[in-house]
Amino acid sequence: MRDAGRIAALAREAGGALCKEGVTTAQIDAEIRKVIRSHGASPSFLHLYGFPASACISVNEEVIHGIPSDRVLQAGDIVKIDVGAFYRGYHGDCAASFPVGEISDEAKDLIEVTRECFFQAVNAAEAPGARLGDIGHAVQSYAEAHGCGVVRDYVGHGVGQKLHEYPEVPNYGSAGHGVRLSAGMTIAIEPMINAGTHEVRTLANRWTVVTKDGRLSSHYENTVALTKNGVWILTDPN
Ligand code: MG
């Protein structure tokens, strides 16, 4: 899974490096597909549930499941790239938010808060006797303390031979509740954090999820392994 994770992370970073003014989201998707295939892996998302591309690329108020297209990126956009790689029977799944040129302070803060939510979740998962609710509680309390909304309609998940496995890993919840975390579990922790309300809706294309209030959304995700010695980030490019 570390190999699959590394390939997914390399694809995410390659996509992120292309997030520049004048580039289309379809061009980013093509580069991501090329990187994944160059490592002998296949894109986990392509045709999954009928999704038509290798990566989900969501811009600004789009939360997740953006479909790569001829949309041209503009300075000030924030771009969420969510990508999975399937290699030797296992998946890696990761996401991050990338700025295009100069972005607003609100956008910068949102990206930083979302990333920090992930690391708060890792800390919570490493505590002795931690349960799933501790992850959600850590994300929710950090995000809400920074005035942000936590998406509830979509959640993290187990990852392994299938991209989406049990358990669900919500970004909200009560400390001390839920399944006890144990060594050997591999899960995707993926805070989806909105600048405004937590509420979202799905566009007429039946894929793309956007914030209900039209404000910005950010996403950050890694596939991690829970071990006796703490949390390993599997979607690490190094
Ligand atoms: Mg995921």
Side-chain angles (χ1 to χ4, degrees), residues 93 157 164 188 190 221:
D93 186 9
H157 50 92
H164 295 133
E190 51 174 321
E221 172 184 28

Side-chain angles (χ1 to χ4, degrees), residues 82-140:
D82 190 354
V83 58
F86 182 68
Y87 184 71
R88 295 189 178 171
Y90 290 90
H91 292 276
D93 186 9
C94 59
S97 303
F98 298 95
V100 178
E102 194 58 36
I103 59 172
S104 67
D105 287 344
E106 180 184 62
K108 280 181 202 163
D109 290 347
L110 181 65
I111 289 173
E112 195 44 47
V113 166
T114 305
R115 198 181 145 82
E116 184 56 29
C117 281
F118 169 83
F119 289 101
Q120 295 282 329
V122 166
N123 282 345
E126 286 184 332
R131 292 178 180 270
L132 259 183
D134 295 309
I135 290 179
H137 178 74
V139 171
Q140 183 178 15

Side-chain angles (χ1 to χ4, degrees), residues 130-189:
R131 292 178 180 270
L132 259 183
D134 295 309
I135 290 179
H137 178 74
V139 171
Q140 183 178 15
S141 43
Y142 190 85
E144 291 180 354
H146 288 79
C148 298
V150 173
V151 173
R152 287 153 171 70
D153 295 3
Y154 299 88
V155 295
H157 50 92
V159 188
Q161 291 174 299
K162 290 187 177 159
L163 183 70
H164 295 133
E165 297 184 350
Y166 285 100
E168 291 192 338
V169 183
N171 294 304
Y172 56 91
S174 307
H177 285 74
V179 175
R180 190 179 289 276
L181 302 177
S182 59
M185 291 175 76
T186 48
I187 58 175
I189 299 175

Side-chain angles (χ1 to χ4, degrees), residues 1-10 12-13 83-85 91-95 118 159 187-189 220-225 232-238:
M1 284 191 69
R2 176 156 263 172
D3 290 337
R6 184 172 152 269
I7 296 164
L10 287 169
R12 176 185 62 185
E13 300 317 309
V83 58
H91 292 276
D93 186 9
C94 59
F118 169 83
V159 188
I187 58 175
I189 299 175
Y220 186 73
E221 172 184 28
N222 284 300
T223 299
V224 304
W232 293 358
I233 295 180
L234 297 175
T235 41
D236 183 331
N238 301 306

